[in-house]
């Protein structure tokens, strides 16, 4: 009985060359980042606008933190409670 074997001349075309481990790690990391971005902006029509808004909000919060810590120029409000006991 004979065996059915592919022609050895065409076998080189069927071989898939795998990249070296460092390239493979980089590709996997890029794919993971892409998936995270896609899931973070799922349902958002304009992700760039959302990103700009988030950065602007972070800058505003950072400015508020630095001005409140260093300057202390904001208004300070104090309450005084005076109790007077009356004899009726």
């Amino acid at each position: 009985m004979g065996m059915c074997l592919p022609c050895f001349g065409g076998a080189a075309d069927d071989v898939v060359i795998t990249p070296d481990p460092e390239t493979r790690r980089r590709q996997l990391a890029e794919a993971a980042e892409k998936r995270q971005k896609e899931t973070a902006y799922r349902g958002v029509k304009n992700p760039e606008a959302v990103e700009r808004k988030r950065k602007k909000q972070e800058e505003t919060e950072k400015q508020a933190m630095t001005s409140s810590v260093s300057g202390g120029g904001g208004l300070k409000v104090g309450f005084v409670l005076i109790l007077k006991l009356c004899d009726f």
Side-chain angles (χ1 to χ4, degrees):
M1 290 194 126
M3 298 178 75
C4 294
L5 296 174
C7 177
F8 291 112
D13 295 337
D14 296 337
V15 176
V16 177
I17 300 173
T18 57
D20 63 301
E22 185 61 35
T23 305
R24 184 73 177 144
R25 278 189 215 104
R26 184 178 46 79
Q27 290 173 343
L28 289 172
E30 290 172 357
E33 288 178 14
K34 183 179 176 182
R35 281 192 306 273
Q36 286 178 344
K37 285 182 180 180
E38 288 174 353
T39 57
Y41 294 117
R42 180 171 287 155
V44 176
K45 291 182 181 179
N46 191 354
E48 291 86 15
V50 172
E51 189 66 26
R52 284 193 306 268
K53 192 173 186 180
R54 184 187 60 81
K55 286 183 180 181
K56 185 176 179 181
Q57 184 178 6
E58 286 178 356
E59 289 175 6
T60 305
E61 289 175 359
K62 188 183 288 185
Q63 287 177 350
M65 292 292 286
T66 56
S67 66
S68 67
V69 172
S70 62
L75 295 175
K76 294 184 180 182
V77 179
F79 293 97
V80 178
L81 180 63
I82 301 174
L83 297 175
K84 182 177 180 183
L85 299 176
C86 298
D87 291 355
F88 288 106

